Amino acid sequence: MTTQSNGWLELPDTAEAETFLEQHPDLQFVDLLIADMNGIVRGKRIDRSALKKVFEKGVALPASLYGLDILGETVESTGLGLEIGEADNICYPIAGTLCMEPWQKRPIAQLLMTMYEDDETPFYADPRTVLKRVLKRFDELELTPVTAFELEFYLIDQENIAGKPQPPKSPISGKRPESVQVYSIDELDEYADFLSDVIETARDQGIPADTIVAESAPGQFEINLHHVADPIKSCDNATLLRRVIKSVAYDHEMDTTFMAKPYADQAGNGMHLHISLIDSNGKNVFELDPDSEQPNDIMRWAVGGLIEAMDDYLAILCPNINSYRRFSQGFYVPSWPCWGVENRTTALRLPLGEPEAARIEHRLAGTDSNPYLLMAAMLSAIHFGITHKIEPPPPIEGNAYEQQETSLPNNLRDALRELESSGMMREYFGNDFLNVFIACKEHEVEQFERTISDLEYTWYLHTV
């Protein structure tokens, strides 16, 4: 695959489109996809005849795509809607992302896009642009992040009960799962056809999904993505994998949710991120000391940055009202900045294993977060820690949940205040982007707080 480069802009060679059309003579349409501020995939569908033109000249989409709330409505306080006349920006294809959508009943392909303000200027509100800006700082250090996501999700029935989800019936037994069976092979067998189709469909699209486990609640599963030495590609994989999981579930007459906490009495959905750094010789600079199994200076400083800035970036990892329900007692989500070696009760875990596989596992984010922004936040804090040589507090041994009370923000409004006042996040993400993100999320908080819940009617309607 070749590209035509012009500063930030890297256009795929039109030969990619021509070859794809030749290989798929029955192709009818192509979905042009772009992940919005919430990580929701949006875009437009074009006829195959327009594909080559998209590679040559891009396609116009409204800038307000990045000023949408979770319901897809424009948040005018972002300045991306009526204030600029609902103006279009130009979107260009991402090289190597053109592939078929195997779940479709007719031959349809997909292509990832990114937005520009003009031929040379990436659009500041595109999360992909934020991540690219952060990665340039690692280029200056001659370090390359190697990353991998783990995504948790729930299989749910297509029919809700009074608006609330329920587990789907097993295709084998016809029963709904009720008990917690962590790492259960039987649970995997119950939904084997669906899970196999997810892995096969992902691989057909070049998404390196390699492991599935039954998780901590009925109908909950985790899929692991293989590590890659391209953080943007890693985020593409996570974004497209969610689309694969949802689409394959529909084919099996089921539904899925990546909502952070769909059931009050069950575990939430987390998205863990594994990060290591390699130098220009391909050496992992996070290698643990083989004798002491303790982190070296660079890894320690990276942990220090992640710990010190955790309050600042929490709103990026937990961007929705529901995100903070995951932090309820008894469901194994760390709620204060801490780290430990081979300790799953801490916010940051340093797994043991081969020295060259040394890495940091960040365990706070929900699967409802935007992978590009999650990645950018983690790498910003790591870069900040390394360049400022920030020492972390001592590692935690034993059960971290019993050693300190919650200290991280426990709701979206407080987390947004921390983000808004963070000099570090403004330095790495840029003021313009953060202002748009915060405006979108504050709008959602205001909408939520104006809503009268059923519980309020139950408590107060006839009692006060």
Side-chain angles (χ1 to χ4, degrees), residues 405-440:
E405 295 294 327
T406 297
S407 63
L408 291 169
N410 62 5
N411 63 84
L412 182 55
R413 185 177 288 284
D414 286 346
L416 289 172
R417 290 193 182 106
E418 295 286 349
L419 177 62
E420 187 172 25
S421 63
S422 171
M424 188 276 285
M425 290 298 289
R426 289 194 176 275
E427 176 189 346
Y428 285 86
F429 274 50
N431 286 327
D432 290 340
F433 175 84
L434 279 188
N435 290 342
V436 170
F437 179 87
I438 291 168
C440 285

Side-chain angles (χ1 to χ4, degrees), residues 455-464:
L455 187 58
E456 288 174 86
Y457 285 121
T458 299
W459 282 7
Y460 308 121
L461 187 60
H462 298 293
T463 60
V464 296

